[in-house]
Amino acid sequence: MWWDPKVEEYREEVRAFAEEHVRPIADRMDRHSEFDPHLMDKMKQWGFMSLLCPKQYGGKGMDTLRYAVAVEELSRVCGSTGITVAAANSLGVYPVDSFGSQEQKDKVLPGVGEKGDIIAFGLTEPGAGSDASGTKTNAVRDGDGWLLNGSKCFITNPRFSTWIITTAVTDPDAGARGISSFLLHKDTPGFAVGKSETKMGLHASDTSMLHFEDVKLPDDALFGPRGDGFKQFMMTLDGGRISIGAMALGLAQGSLDIALRHAKNNLGLTGGINERQAVQFPLSDMATRVEAARHLVYQSAALKDLHQPFAKQSAMAKMYASEVGHYCSDQAIQILGMDGYCTGSEVERHWRDVRLCEIGEGTSEVHRIVISRYILKELDKATAPKKSVEPELAKTSA
Ligand code: CAA
C-alpha cells in the first residue's frame, strides 16, 4: 500500500509550486516553444532536476514513489515541465548513479545535486528507434581512448544539458552485446547539439539531435563495462517508464479536473439521475481510468523502491496511463466543446502533449512486446514440472 501522509504532503508542496510558478506561464511557453529560463532556475533551486540524485551529492535522494508524484503534479498543469524533469532524472541521473564508476559519479553528480546540471540520454537514431539495438553510432579504439562518430535523434533536454550519455557500437559482430555506452561533457570537441524538432505538442520541451564527429574520448569515458551499454539503457528505460506513466497520469488528471469544473460550473451538473448523462458517464469513466492508471504507476514505483522486479509493471503502467491520458484529454475536449477545441485551451494543450506518451521512451507496441515476454515467461514458470521431492524427505513425510 503506497498511501502515506508524507507522500500526500509532498504532493501538496509540488502542487503549490506548479500552481504558482508553472500554470501561469504554461500556455505562453507552449505558444513560444520555449522553456522559461526563470522557471528552469526556480526548478533547479527547488531540486526538481536532482530528485533522484543521492543526498551525498547534494541531491534530493528521493524514493521513486514521491518522484512519480512530483512528475505527475507538474504534468497536471504542463506536460513540457513534466517531461523535462522526468528525462533529467530517469534517463540522466539514474544511469549515472546506477552504472557509473565512482570517478564518473564524483565528476558529474555534485553538479547535478548542487546546481541542477542536466544529463541527456542518447539512444534513438534515425534508423534505430523501437529497434534500439540497430544502433549505428560507433566508437573505435584510438590509442588509449576512443573515437566516437554518429548521430542521435529525438533526444530530450540536450540544449539544457551539461553531460551526455550515449550508446555506440564497439564490437560490430556482437549484436546487442557489442553496444557500449559513453559519458561526455557538452564542450567536448566534435560534439554538437543539432536540429531541434518542431513537434505537435510538448512545445517547451527540448527535443534535438546529437552529432558526434571524430569525438576523441579518454578510456574512462566508457560508461560501465564494454558491451553493457544496451542492457544499461534497457534497465534505465524500465525505470523511465514509471516517470512517463506518471506524466501521462498527470495530464489525464489535469484534463479530468478541467472537465469536472466545466461540468459543474458551466453546465450546472450535480449528479441527478435525469441530468446530462452524456457528460456524467464520460466523467465517471475518466475518473475510474485515472485511478486505475494511478494504481499501476504507484505500484511499479513502490516495487522499485522495495528492490523487487518491476519491469513488467512499469511497462503496463506506462502503456495504460498513456492511453488513459489520451482518452481523458480527448473526452475533456468533447465535454468543453469549442471552449476545449480552441487554441489556448488547456485541454487542447494536454491532448497534444499526452500523445507523445504513446510514442516516446518506447511505443505502446514495444510495451506490448515487453509485457508479452514477461507473461509468457510467467506461464512457462507456472506450468514447468515441479521438482520431485527428495527421496529421504518423502520417506520422512510418509
Ligand atoms: N533489463 C536488462 N537486460 C535487458 C533488458 C532489460 N529490461 N531488456 C533486454 N535486455 C538484455 C537481454 O537480456 C539481452 O541480453 P543477452 O544478450 O545477454 O541475452 C539483450 O539485452 C538483448 O535483449 P533483446 O534480445 O530482448 O533485445 P531486442 O532487440 O529484442 O529488444 C526491445 C527489443 C524490447 C523492443 C528493445 O529494443 C526496446 O526496448 N526498444 C524500445 C527502445 C525505446 O524505448 N526507445 C526510446 C528511448 S528514449 C530516447 O532515446 C530519447 C529521449 O531522450 C526520451
Side-chain angles (χ1 to χ4, degrees):
M1 181 64 187
W2 58 79
W3 193 86
D4 175 343
K6 286 203 190 97
V7 174
E8 292 312 306
E9 264 169 42
Y10 182 64
R11 179 195 302 285
E12 291 307 317
E13 262 177 53
V14 181
R15 184 169 288 201
F17 178 94
E19 292 293 345
E20 185 181 346
H21 301 293
V22 187
R23 190 191 289 281
I25 61 169
D27 175 55
R28 175 167 57 77
M29 294 204 303
D30 178 67
R31 275 186 285 114
H32 293 210
S33 296
E34 192 186 29
F35 202 96
D36 184 289
H38 302 296
L39 175 60
M40 181 61 88
D41 289 345
K42 261 181 226 145
M43 299 205 30
K44 287 183 175 184
Q45 279 161 19
W46 273 63
F48 283 116
M49 300 305 166
S50 62
L51 293 174
L52 294 185
C53 180
K55 285 188 174 158
Q56 73 195 86
Y57 298 106
K60 290 277 181 192
M62 193 158 277
D63 54 68
T64 319
L65 180 53
R66 279 185 301 162
Y67 162 57
V69 167
V71 174
E72 175 190 343
E73 288 300 324
L74 294 170
S75 305
R76 185 176 151 271
V77 301
C78 174
S80 291
T81 304
I83 196 170
T84 302
V85 169
N89 283 280
S90 289
L91 303 185
V93 178
Y94 172 80
V96 172
D97 185 39
S98 305
F99 310 118
S101 65
Q102 194 55 53
E103 289 72 27
Q104 287 166 336
K105 290 190 211 183
D106 291 344
K107 194 153 61 172
V108 175
L109 293 181
V112 174
E114 288 155 21
K115 298 187 278 148
D117 282 355
I118 295 178
I119 307 157
F121 170 93
L123 175 66
T124 304
E125 297 188 7
S130 287
D131 180 15
S133 62
T135 300
K136 293 281 181 290
T137 295
N138 65 86
V140 293
R141 267 325 220 164
D142 178 45
D144 287 343
W146 298 90
L147 198 63
L148 180 66
N149 276 289
S151 290
K152 299 281 173 180
C153 59
F154 309 131
I155 307 305
T156 308
N157 287 342
R159 287 194 191 282
F160 310 134
S161 295
T162 307
W163 296 94
I164 316 291
I165 48 173
T166 184
T167 50
V169 175
T170 44
D171 299 280
D173 300 325
R177 291 184 193 189
I179 296 174
S180 302
S181 55
F182 293 87
L183 170 73
L184 60 141
H185 192 271
K186 70 174 170 56
D187 294 334
T188 311
F191 168 72
V193 177
K195 174 173 93 92
S196 291
E197 302 299 337
T198 307
K199 309 183 295 290
M200 158 185 175
L202 298 173
H203 288 170
S205 152
D206 173 37
T207 307
S208 301
M209 290 200 72
L210 307 179
H211 298 295
F212 309 98
E213 203 180 319
D214 288 336
V215 178
K216 278 179 186 286
L217 295 175
D219 200 27
D220 65 5
L222 185 66
F223 191 66
R226 182 172 175 161
D228 267 14
F230 186 76
K231 265 192 200 175
Q232 291 167 355
F233 274 51
M234 288 299 115
M235 288 164 80
T236 300
L237 289 174
D238 287 340
R241 285 169 189 151
I242 300 174
S243 64
I244 299 301
M247 174 188 162
L249 171 62
L251 286 161
Q253 181 72 60
S255 303
L256 171 61
D257 292 347
I258 294 166
L260 267 176
R261 262 199 311 274
H262 181 85
K264 197 162 180 219
N265 300 340
N266 300 24
L267 308 177
L269 206 73
T270 60
I273 189 143
N274 294 322
E275 189 186 66
R276 292 182 190 263
Q277 290 182 341
V279 179
Q280 287 181 354
F281 289 1
L283 283 174
S284 301
D285 288 348
M286 287 157 80
T288 307
R289 291 182 200 195
V290 166
E291 278 302 292
R294 180 167 288 117
H295 278 259
L296 280 172
V297 172
Y298 291 4
Q299 181 202 32
S300 53
L303 284 171
K304 184 163 186 288
D305 287 334
L306 290 168
H307 306 288
Q308 295 297 313
F310 65 92
K312 178 184 80 174
Q313 283 83 358
S314 69
M316 287 175 166
K318 197 263 191 190
M319 181 189 83
Y320 184 71
S322 301
E323 292 172 2
V324 169
H326 186 150
Y327 172 80
C328 288
S329 57
D330 200 59
Q331 290 297 316
I333 292 176
Q334 197 64 24
I335 291 170
L336 269 74
M338 286 307 287
D339 288 334
Y341 180 70
C342 285
T343 304
S345 115
E346 201 173 327
V347 287
E348 180 263 347
R349 173 160 51 82
H350 288 349
W351 185 84
R352 288 185 285 107
D353 287 354
V354 80
R355 193 65 182 82
L356 175 277
C357 299
E358 290 170 279
I359 299 167
E361 280 193 47
T363 60
S364 294
E365 291 75 13
V366 160
H367 289 95
R368 287 185 163 85
I369 294 173
V370 170
I371 294 164
S372 74
R373 288 180 178 183
Y374 283 105
I375 57 180
L376 288 167
K377 259 192 222 153
E378 284 167 8
L379 177 71
D380 287 346
K381 217 167 146 192
T383 51
K386 301 273 174 297
K387 273 193 192 146
S388 56
V389 183
E390 294 285 327
E392 280 309 307
L393 204 64
K395 248 188 265 164
T396 332
S397 48

